Amino acid sequence: MRQDYTDVKNIYIVCGKTDMRKGIDGLATLVQDTFELDPYGDSIFLFSGWSKDRYKCLYFDGDGFAMLYKRLDNGKLQWPKNENEVRNLSQQELRWLLEGLAIQQPKAIQKSQKGVF
């Protein structure tokens, strides 16, 4: 099982509320049928329910699915509310989300594009 997820190709967040009673098969079906994404690809899929103090992470590591379930003791996640939307996150946006911050940080210094001198 993979332990370092920092080089995963895609990090997807399923916005809105997901039924947290779903297991691996239910979440993989949701990814495939509703959002038309490949649950077997090199991707992490994140889900949250009503309370925003817990989330699930689904990942296929080559020989099976792994699911992480986390419940926060203090605080809540600032989970995007737009139902039926999936967003592709950067590693930085994932860190912000899991630290309790919003995905968009307008005051953060953004990476520069190569300029012409």
Side-chain angles (χ1 to χ4, degrees):
M1 187 167 121
R2 178 184 236 159
Q3 295 180 6
D4 180 13
Y5 297 100
T6 57
D7 62 343
V8 171
K9 184 177 179 182
N10 293 299
I11 302 168
Y12 291 109
I13 180 172
V14 177
C15 303
K17 300 171 188 90
T18 300
D19 183 353
M20 295 300 279
R21 297 173 293 180
K22 291 183 186 283
I24 290 173
D25 294 338
L27 294 175
T29 300
L30 179 70
V31 165
Q32 190 171 23
D33 293 349
T34 304
F35 301 110
E36 298 178 357
L37 295 170
D38 181 13
Y40 292 95
D42 187 21
S43 302
I44 289 175
F45 298 93
L46 300 165
F47 309 87
S48 184
W50 291 87
S51 62
K52 307 291 186 256
D53 68 344
R54 57 198 74 197
Y55 65 91
K56 286 185 178 180
C57 173
L58 183 68
Y59 178 72
F60 184 77
D61 68 358
D63 62 3
F65 282 97
M67 183 171 65
L68 167 75
Y69 178 73
K70 182 165 183 175
R71 181 185 53 115
L72 302 172
D73 284 339
N74 296 308
K76 293 185 183 276
L77 300 168
Q78 292 192 35
W79 207 266
K81 297 175 184 172
N82 192 355
E83 297 287 335
N84 299 320
E85 180 185 5
V86 172
R87 292 187 191 174
N88 198 342
L89 302 180
S90 67
Q91 290 285 338
Q92 179 66 57
E93 290 169 329
L94 176 62
R95 278 192 298 281
W96 285 334
L97 176 71
L98 299 182
E99 290 172 356
L101 301 171
I103 292 172
Q104 287 86 19
Q105 292 292 320
K107 293 186 179 184
I109 297 172
Q110 303 298 319
K111 291 189 176 186
S112 301
Q113 299 295 324
K114 290 184 180 180
V116 177
F117 294 98

mmCIF file of all heavy atoms in Angstrom, residues 80-102:
data_model
loop_
_atom_site.group_PDB
_atom_site.id
_atom_site.type_symbol
_atom_site.label_atom_id
_atom_site.label_comp_id
_atom_site.label_asym_id
_atom_site.label_seq_id
_atom_site.Cartn_x
_atom_site.Cartn_y
_atom_site.Cartn_z
ATOM 1 N N PRO A 80 -16.227 22.952 0.245
ATOM 2 C CA PRO A 80 -17.049 23.661 -0.746
ATOM 3 C C PRO A 80 -18.462 23.088 -0.792
ATOM 4 O O PRO A 80 -18.655 21.877 -0.702
ATOM 5 C CB PRO A 80 -16.321 23.414 -2.066
ATOM 6 C CG PRO A 80 -14.934 23.045 -1.674
ATOM 7 C CD PRO A 80 -15.040 22.366 -0.349
ATOM 8 N N LYS A 81 -19.456 23.964 -0.930
ATOM 9 C CA LYS A 81 -20.855 23.562 -0.815
ATOM 10 C C LYS A 81 -21.545 23.296 -2.144
ATOM 11 O O LYS A 81 -22.665 22.835 -2.169
ATOM 12 C CB LYS A 81 -21.634 24.644 -0.065
ATOM 13 C CG LYS A 81 -21.156 24.820 1.347
ATOM 14 C CD LYS A 81 -21.860 25.965 2.023
ATOM 15 C CE LYS A 81 -21.251 26.139 3.406
ATOM 16 N NZ LYS A 81 -21.734 27.334 4.079
ATOM 17 N N ASN A 82 -20.910 23.596 -3.250
ATOM 18 C CA ASN A 82 -21.538 23.462 -4.553
ATOM 19 C C ASN A 82 -21.805 21.990 -4.861
ATOM 20 O O ASN A 82 -20.885 21.240 -5.184
ATOM 21 C CB ASN A 82 -20.663 24.102 -5.631
ATOM 22 C CG ASN A 82 -21.390 24.242 -6.945
ATOM 23 O OD1 ASN A 82 -22.511 23.788 -7.108
ATOM 24 N ND2 ASN A 82 -20.738 24.884 -7.895
ATOM 25 N N GLU A 83 -23.061 21.578 -4.760
ATOM 26 C CA GLU A 83 -23.440 20.185 -4.993
ATOM 27 C C GLU A 83 -23.108 19.747 -6.420
ATOM 28 O O GLU A 83 -23.101 20.561 -7.332
ATOM 29 C CB GLU A 83 -24.946 19.995 -4.749
ATOM 30 C CG GLU A 83 -25.381 20.274 -3.329
ATOM 31 C CD GLU A 83 -24.965 19.196 -2.340
ATOM 32 O OE1 GLU A 83 -24.769 18.036 -2.743
ATOM 33 O OE2 GLU A 83 -24.836 19.536 -1.152
ATOM 34 N N ASN A 84 -22.863 18.480 -6.594
ATOM 35 C CA ASN A 84 -22.622 17.867 -7.903
ATOM 36 C C ASN A 84 -21.448 18.494 -8.646
ATOM 37 O O ASN A 84 -21.468 18.621 -9.865
ATOM 38 C CB ASN A 84 -23.887 17.917 -8.772
ATOM 39 C CG ASN A 84 -25.027 17.161 -8.134
ATOM 40 O OD1 ASN A 84 -24.826 16.100 -7.555
ATOM 41 N ND2 ASN A 84 -26.215 17.705 -8.216
ATOM 42 N N GLU A 85 -20.427 18.888 -7.911
ATOM 43 C CA GLU A 85 -19.219 19.428 -8.527
ATOM 44 C C GLU A 85 -18.013 18.683 -7.969
ATOM 45 O O GLU A 85 -17.970 18.323 -6.799
ATOM 46 C CB GLU A 85 -19.066 20.920 -8.225
ATOM 47 C CG GLU A 85 -17.834 21.526 -8.849
ATOM 48 C CD GLU A 85 -17.607 22.979 -8.441
ATOM 49 O OE1 GLU A 85 -18.352 23.505 -7.607
ATOM 50 O OE2 GLU A 85 -16.651 23.565 -8.970
ATOM 51 N N VAL A 86 -17.047 18.463 -8.827
ATOM 52 C CA VAL A 86 -15.769 17.893 -8.424
ATOM 53 C C VAL A 86 -14.703 18.897 -8.821
ATOM 54 O O VAL A 86 -14.728 19.439 -9.921
ATOM 55 C CB VAL A 86 -15.506 16.538 -9.116
ATOM 56 C CG1 VAL A 86 -14.113 16.046 -8.837
ATOM 57 C CG2 VAL A 86 -16.516 15.511 -8.674
ATOM 58 N N ARG A 87 -13.761 19.141 -7.916
ATOM 59 C CA ARG A 87 -12.652 20.054 -8.206
ATOM 60 C C ARG A 87 -11.345 19.290 -8.114
ATOM 61 O O ARG A 87 -11.190 18.411 -7.284
ATOM 62 C CB ARG A 87 -12.608 21.203 -7.196
ATOM 63 C CG ARG A 87 -13.750 22.148 -7.298
ATOM 64 C CD ARG A 87 -13.515 23.321 -6.378
ATOM 65 N NE ARG A 87 -14.710 24.120 -6.258
ATOM 66 C CZ ARG A 87 -14.820 25.126 -5.430
ATOM 67 N NH1 ARG A 87 -13.829 25.461 -4.636
ATOM 68 N NH2 ARG A 87 -15.939 25.817 -5.373
ATOM 69 N N ASN A 88 -10.412 19.683 -8.946
ATOM 70 C CA ASN A 88 -9.069 19.126 -8.897
ATOM 71 C C ASN A 88 -8.222 20.071 -8.057
ATOM 72 O O ASN A 88 -8.107 21.246 -8.377
ATOM 73 C CB ASN A 88 -8.512 18.991 -10.310
ATOM 74 C CG ASN A 88 -7.349 18.041 -10.390
ATOM 75 O OD1 ASN A 88 -6.724 17.716 -9.384
ATOM 76 N ND2 ASN A 88 -7.044 17.597 -11.584
ATOM 77 N N LEU A 89 -7.659 19.573 -6.956
ATOM 78 C CA LEU A 89 -6.897 20.398 -6.022
ATOM 79 C C LEU A 89 -5.399 20.237 -6.219
ATOM 80 O O LEU A 89 -4.928 19.178 -6.620
ATOM 81 C CB LEU A 89 -7.217 20.013 -4.572
ATOM 82 C CG LEU A 89 -8.654 20.100 -4.096
ATOM 83 C CD1 LEU A 89 -8.738 19.684 -2.637
ATOM 84 C CD2 LEU A 89 -9.207 21.490 -4.285
ATOM 85 N N SER A 90 -4.679 21.284 -5.881
ATOM 86 C CA SER A 90 -3.223 21.195 -5.808
ATOM 87 C C SER A 90 -2.850 20.672 -4.414
ATOM 88 O O SER A 90 -3.691 20.625 -3.511
ATOM 89 C CB SER A 90 -2.599 22.575 -6.025
ATOM 90 O OG SER A 90 -2.920 23.440 -4.939
ATOM 91 N N GLN A 91 -1.600 20.304 -4.242
ATOM 92 C CA GLN A 91 -1.137 19.864 -2.919
ATOM 93 C C GLN A 91 -1.319 20.982 -1.891
ATOM 94 O O GLN A 91 -1.690 20.731 -0.756
ATOM 95 C CB GLN A 91 0.333 19.426 -2.979
ATOM 96 C CG GLN A 91 0.572 18.146 -3.724
ATOM 97 C CD GLN A 91 0.144 16.919 -2.945
ATOM 98 O OE1 GLN A 91 0.026 16.933 -1.733
ATOM 99 N NE2 GLN A 91 -0.090 15.834 -3.660
ATOM 100 N N GLN A 92 -1.067 22.230 -2.292
ATOM 101 C CA GLN A 92 -1.219 23.375 -1.385
ATOM 102 C C GLN A 92 -2.681 23.549 -0.971
ATOM 103 O O GLN A 92 -2.977 23.759 0.206
ATOM 104 C CB GLN A 92 -0.706 24.662 -2.044
ATOM 105 C CG GLN A 92 -0.864 25.897 -1.166
ATOM 106 C CD GLN A 92 -0.003 25.848 0.084
ATOM 107 O OE1 GLN A 92 1.196 25.712 -0.021
ATOM 108 N NE2 GLN A 92 -0.607 25.925 1.240
ATOM 109 N N GLU A 93 -3.601 23.458 -1.924
ATOM 110 C CA GLU A 93 -5.023 23.584 -1.611
ATOM 111 C C GLU A 93 -5.477 22.469 -0.686
ATOM 112 O O GLU A 93 -6.279 22.685 0.226
ATOM 113 C CB GLU A 93 -5.850 23.595 -2.892
ATOM 114 C CG GLU A 93 -5.672 24.848 -3.714
ATOM 115 C CD GLU A 93 -6.279 24.757 -5.096
ATOM 116 O OE1 GLU A 93 -6.320 23.640 -5.671
ATOM 117 O OE2 GLU A 93 -6.716 25.806 -5.600
ATOM 118 N N LEU A 94 -4.955 21.257 -0.887
ATOM 119 C CA LEU A 94 -5.273 20.144 0.007
ATOM 120 C C LEU A 94 -4.793 20.443 1.425
ATOM 121 O O LEU A 94 -5.521 20.221 2.390
ATOM 122 C CB LEU A 94 -4.650 18.847 -0.509
ATOM 123 C CG LEU A 94 -4.836 17.626 0.384
ATOM 124 C CD1 LEU A 94 -6.308 17.283 0.544
ATOM 125 C CD2 LEU A 94 -4.050 16.450 -0.160
ATOM 126 N N ARG A 95 -3.569 20.948 1.567
ATOM 127 C CA ARG A 95 -3.061 21.301 2.898
ATOM 128 C C ARG A 95 -3.940 22.348 3.556
ATOM 129 O O ARG A 95 -4.274 22.241 4.727
ATOM 130 C CB ARG A 95 -1.618 21.793 2.804
ATOM 131 C CG ARG A 95 -0.591 20.685 2.754
ATOM 132 C CD ARG A 95 0.825 21.203 2.963
ATOM 133 N NE ARG A 95 1.259 22.137 1.937
ATOM 134 C CZ ARG A 95 1.691 21.794 0.732
ATOM 135 N NH1 ARG A 95 1.743 20.519 0.393
ATOM 136 N NH2 ARG A 95 2.076 22.698 -0.133
ATOM 137 N N TRP A 96 -4.321 23.388 2.798
ATOM 138 C CA TRP A 96 -5.196 24.416 3.357
ATOM 139 C C TRP A 96 -6.503 23.804 3.841
ATOM 140 O O TRP A 96 -6.950 24.078 4.953
ATOM 141 C CB TRP A 96 -5.496 25.491 2.321
ATOM 142 C CG TRP A 96 -4.375 26.448 2.054
ATOM 143 C CD1 TRP A 96 -3.362 26.792 2.909
ATOM 144 C CD2 TRP A 96 -4.141 27.185 0.861
ATOM 145 N NE1 TRP A 96 -2.522 27.696 2.310
ATOM 146 C CE2 TRP A 96 -2.982 27.963 1.053
ATOM 147 C CE3 TRP A 96 -4.805 27.271 -0.354
ATOM 148 C CZ2 TRP A 96 -2.473 28.811 0.085
ATOM 149 C CZ3 TRP A 96 -4.295 28.121 -1.323
ATOM 150 C CH2 TRP A 96 -3.144 28.883 -1.103
ATOM 151 N N LEU A 97 -7.120 22.966 3.015
ATOM 152 C CA LEU A 97 -8.395 22.342 3.371
ATOM 153 C C LEU A 97 -8.272 21.535 4.657
ATOM 154 O O LEU A 97 -9.083 21.672 5.573
ATOM 155 C CB LEU A 97 -8.870 21.445 2.230
ATOM 156 C CG LEU A 97 -10.155 20.654 2.500
ATOM 157 C CD1 LEU A 97 -11.358 21.586 2.520
ATOM 158 C CD2 LEU A 97 -10.332 19.573 1.452
ATOM 159 N N LEU A 98 -7.245 20.687 4.747
ATOM 160 C CA LEU A 98 -7.097 19.809 5.904
ATOM 161 C C LEU A 98 -6.610 20.539 7.152
ATOM 162 O O LEU A 98 -6.664 19.992 8.245
ATOM 163 C CB LEU A 98 -6.174 18.633 5.556
ATOM 164 C CG LEU A 98 -6.679 17.747 4.415
ATOM 165 C CD1 LEU A 98 -5.723 16.594 4.184
ATOM 166 C CD2 LEU A 98 -8.095 17.250 4.668
ATOM 167 N N GLU A 99 -6.165 21.793 6.987
ATOM 168 C CA GLU A 99 -5.808 22.618 8.137
ATOM 169 C C GLU A 99 -6.970 23.497 8.581
ATOM 170 O O GLU A 99 -6.822 24.329 9.467
ATOM 171 C CB GLU A 99 -4.598 23.493 7.799
ATOM 172 C CG GLU A 99 -3.319 22.696 7.651
ATOM 173 C CD GLU A 99 -2.146 23.516 7.131
ATOM 174 O OE1 GLU A 99 -2.331 24.717 6.810
ATOM 175 O OE2 GLU A 99 -1.057 22.950 7.025
ATOM 176 N N GLY A 100 -8.140 23.329 7.949
ATOM 177 C CA GLY A 100 -9.318 24.093 8.336
ATOM 178 C C GLY A 100 -9.491 25.403 7.604
ATOM 179 O O GLY A 100 -10.359 26.201 7.953
ATOM 180 N N LEU A 101 -8.684 25.640 6.583
ATOM 181 C CA LEU A 101 -8.768 26.876 5.815
ATOM 182 C C LEU A 101 -9.589 26.642 4.548
ATOM 183 O O LEU A 101 -9.826 25.512 4.137
ATOM 184 C CB LEU A 101 -7.361 27.355 5.435
ATOM 185 C CG LEU A 101 -6.415 27.616 6.602
ATOM 186 C CD1 LEU A 101 -5.007 27.876 6.091
ATOM 187 C CD2 LEU A 101 -6.909 28.766 7.458
ATOM 188 N N ALA A 102 -9.996 27.732 3.915
ATOM 189 C CA ALA A 102 -10.705 27.642 2.642
ATOM 190 C C ALA A 102 -9.721 27.255 1.538
ATOM 191 O O ALA A 102 -8.531 27.561 1.620
ATOM 192 C CB ALA A 102 -11.367 28.977 2.309
#
